[in-house]
Amino acid sequence: MGFDEEVDSQMPFLDPNYVSSSSSSSTPSSTLALKRTGNEWTALAHIITAVIGSGVLSLAWSMAQLGWIAGPLTMLVFTCVSLTSAFLLCNCYKSPDPEIGPNRNGCYLDAVQKILGKRNAWFCGIAVRVNFIKLAIIYTITSASSIQAIQKSNCYHDQGHETTCGYESTSYMVIFGLIQVIVSQIPDFPNMKWLSIVAAVMSFTYSIIGSALGLAKVIENGEIKGSITGLPSSTVAEKVWLVAQALGNIAFAFPFSLIFLEVQDTLKAPPPEKITMKKVSIMAACVTTFFYLCCGGFGYAAFGNSTPGNLLTGFGFYEPYWLVDFANACVILHLVGGYQVFSQPIFADVERWLYRKFPESKFVHKNHTLKPLSMLPLRLNFMRLFFRTAYVALMTGIAVLFPYFNQVIGVSGAITFWPIVVYFPVEMYLTQKKIESWKSKAIALRVFTMVCLVVILYAFVGSIRGVIVARFG
């Protein structure tokens, strides 16, 4: 098999000198305004697409731990925290003055660096990259569970619901990892617009199917299951830890602060972008909260104390088996693309560093086009092949070691929620507005920050304990 060689000179997101239009803060706003055509409806679509995802599958289980009063109230509290974060971030789009700029901060990390300085940006960068890494692990676990569920669903349909249909998830994680190794070699994957469209359609589809199956089950049962106090536990301590894990699961379902400024950077003006984004934030909060309450509520009402950790793979639903299969297939398709969306920034960071560090290295810079596959957007680069394969292998290995959906989701939700959704937006707002520490607004926001920190630490510790018990207990 022959191949052609070329130097990798046209990869803008790997070019150390490349600056995207969204982050060109020094460009006059009148020039960039011509490129911004978004409105409140496009912004709403972007945010809802980013928020509604695999986290919705664990909400029924979280509701079961909290009960019919604390469950919905907790979701509403997290909605209020996310909405507060959104309102604070609206003021961080322009700097140094939040009203007139003139600089624009087209992404979250840009805003932190320009408003809070390089040290805070360094810590923020770690939080952002941890967020990307954890999603790769979760997507591997969830995809394997969905593949496993499709096989179980077909087995139950053919052999009866009482049949023992057991399938090992490790092999499915390895298969998913191999798919990601191949797909990750496409260098311009982030620029494929169809990826976001497919991911959005798939996430909406399986979320709606999960809610509809829950509602149908409630109607079939003829009763609403569950209780005010939630799932009973053998001890008070066990209940406390399960509640902590549930909080982490819910936190995972509210990830919209990280992409907020990028969405705001797509909006046309007038009206001012911050005014539009405040309206969009309220609409997005209402839509997602309603959707989450439906998914979590219908699932809990259908199964009560038997609510599965993953609504689509826990096998409360056996029929129609084809619909369960279709929903899980949608999950897999969504996560195959979603894995790349969140992994490509990691790839770009490391490879950009390698490009600068080894400017003369053929191993780093040279591409090879496989002649039989020359029509495909696949260019073989040995550095890219080695690094990305190693990355996917590491993420797959961690997923194999800790294949516990709810526990890992809880850790994932808690580990980055506080810095990204609470701490940095509050600090940027106080700095932008030049509010002294002794002012009542500053005190209130700092109290808000500390309360959120305590809650998230509780969720984090409880979720870590859950992972340890599941792995070694």
Side-chain angles (χ1 to χ4, degrees), residues 180-260:
Q180 293 302 331
V181 167
I182 296 170
V183 176
S184 67
Q185 300 309 311
I186 301 176
D188 55 353
F189 209 92
N191 298 321
M192 296 183 179
K193 294 182 179 180
W194 59 267
L195 178 64
S196 294
I197 296 172
V198 170
V201 172
M202 293 300 102
S203 63
F204 268 105
T205 301
Y206 67 69
S207 300
I208 291 170
I209 290 174
S211 298
L213 288 172
L215 177 59
K217 188 73 173 178
V218 172
I219 295 172
E220 178 188 328
N221 294 339
E223 64 172 329
I224 296 176
K225 296 185 178 182
S227 65
I228 292 176
T229 56
L231 185 69
S233 298
S234 56
T235 64
V236 173
E238 184 65 22
K239 181 68 175 181
V240 168
W241 292 125
L242 287 174
V243 168
Q245 198 172 305
L247 292 175
N249 279 229
I250 295 172
F252 180 79
F254 287 88
F256 97 72
S257 295
L258 195 56
I259 52 93
F260 188 87

Side-chain angles (χ1 to χ4, degrees), residues 65-83:
Q65 310 312 312
L66 297 168
W68 278 120
I69 294 179
L73 283 177
T74 300
M75 289 192 193
L76 291 175
V77 168
F78 272 92
T79 298
C80 291
V81 172
S82 296
L83 195 56

Side-chain angles (χ1 to χ4, degrees), residues 102-364:
N103 299 332
R104 297 174 186 267
N105 301 316
C107 73
Y108 192 97
L109 197 53
D110 278 355
V112 173
Q113 181 168 348
K114 290 172 185 173
I115 297 172
L116 297 180
K118 290 184 178 180
R119 179 175 296 180
N120 280 281
W122 188 82
F123 286 110
C124 181
I126 292 175
V128 170
R129 287 160 181 79
V130 167
N131 183 66
F132 293 153
I133 291 170
K134 74 181 187 182
L135 288 173
I137 297 168
I138 288 170
Y139 284 5
T140 303
I141 296 170
T142 309
S143 296
S145 298
S146 292
I147 299 171
Q148 191 178 31
I150 291 174
Q151 285 207 305
K152 283 186 176 182
S153 177
N154 294 335
C155 174
Y156 289 137
H157 177 74
D158 293 336
Q159 302 180 29
H161 298 173
E162 303 304 321
T163 306
T164 301
C165 296
Y167 298 93
E168 177 60 44
S169 63
T170 300
S171 58
Y172 301 130
M173 293 186 194
V174 173
I175 291 171
F176 182 78
L178 290 174
I179 293 171
Q180 293 302 331
V181 167
I182 296 170
V183 176
S184 67
Q185 300 309 311
I186 301 176
D188 55 353
F189 209 92
N191 298 321
M192 296 183 179
K193 294 182 179 180
W194 59 267
L195 178 64
S196 294
I197 296 172
V198 170
V201 172
M202 293 300 102
S203 63
F204 268 105
T205 301
Y206 67 69
S207 300
I208 291 170
I209 290 174
S211 298
L213 288 172
L215 177 59
K217 188 73 173 178
V218 172
I219 295 172
E220 178 188 328
N221 294 339
E223 64 172 329
I224 296 176
K225 296 185 178 182
S227 65
I228 292 176
T229 56
L231 185 69
S233 298
S234 56
T235 64
V236 173
E238 184 65 22
K239 181 68 175 181
V240 168
W241 292 125
L242 287 174
V243 168
Q245 198 172 305
L247 292 175
N249 279 229
I250 295 172
F252 180 79
F254 287 88
F256 97 72
S257 295
L258 195 56
I259 52 93
F260 188 87
L261 293 176
E262 291 183 342
V263 173
Q264 188 167 346
D265 196 47
T266 67
L267 297 176
K268 61 183 179 182
E273 297 90 343
K274 63 183 290 186
I275 300 299
T276 303
M277 282 305 289
K278 285 184 178 180
K279 293 179 182 178
V280 170
S281 301
I282 294 172
M283 291 191 291
C286 292
V287 171
T288 54
T289 303
F290 174 77
F291 207 88
Y292 285 174
L293 289 173
C294 287
C295 290
F298 288 148
Y300 183 39
F303 302 111
N305 292 342
S306 302
T307 302
N310 184 323
L311 194 60
L312 291 176
T313 64
F315 281 95
F317 308 120
Y318 291 99
E319 301 293 341
Y321 81 100
W322 59 267
L323 188 58
V324 176
D325 287 355
F326 178 69
N328 279 295
C330 290
V331 173
I332 296 165
L333 287 173
H334 173 211
L335 299 185
V336 166
Y339 188 107
Q340 287 301 311
V341 168
F342 291 108
S343 296
Q344 288 286 345
I346 298 289
F347 298 159
D349 282 346
V350 174
E351 290 166 8
R352 186 185 296 116
W353 179 82
L354 290 171
Y355 267 64
R356 289 198 299 260
K357 188 72 174 177
F358 305 102
E360 305 299 328
S361 172
K362 291 184 179 181
F363 177 79
V364 172

Side-chain angles (χ1 to χ4, degrees), residues 22-102:
S22 64
S23 61
S24 300
S25 57
S26 61
T27 306
S29 58
S30 59
T31 302
L32 287 178
L34 297 175
K35 299 179 182 179
R36 297 186 178 90
T37 58
N39 55 41
E40 60 188 36
W41 298 111
T42 60
L44 179 64
H46 287 313
I47 290 177
I48 291 177
T49 298
V51 171
I52 296 177
S54 58
V56 76
L57 301 175
S58 67
L59 292 179
W61 181 88
S62 300
M63 186 84 80
Q65 310 312 312
L66 297 168
W68 278 120
I69 294 179
L73 283 177
T74 300
M75 289 192 193
L76 291 175
V77 168
F78 272 92
T79 298
C80 291
V81 172
S82 296
L83 195 56
T84 300
S85 173
F87 286 167
L88 297 176
L89 284 173
C90 283
N91 295 282
C92 301
Y93 175 57
K94 292 182 179 180
S95 62
D97 187 279
E99 302 296 333
I100 60 174

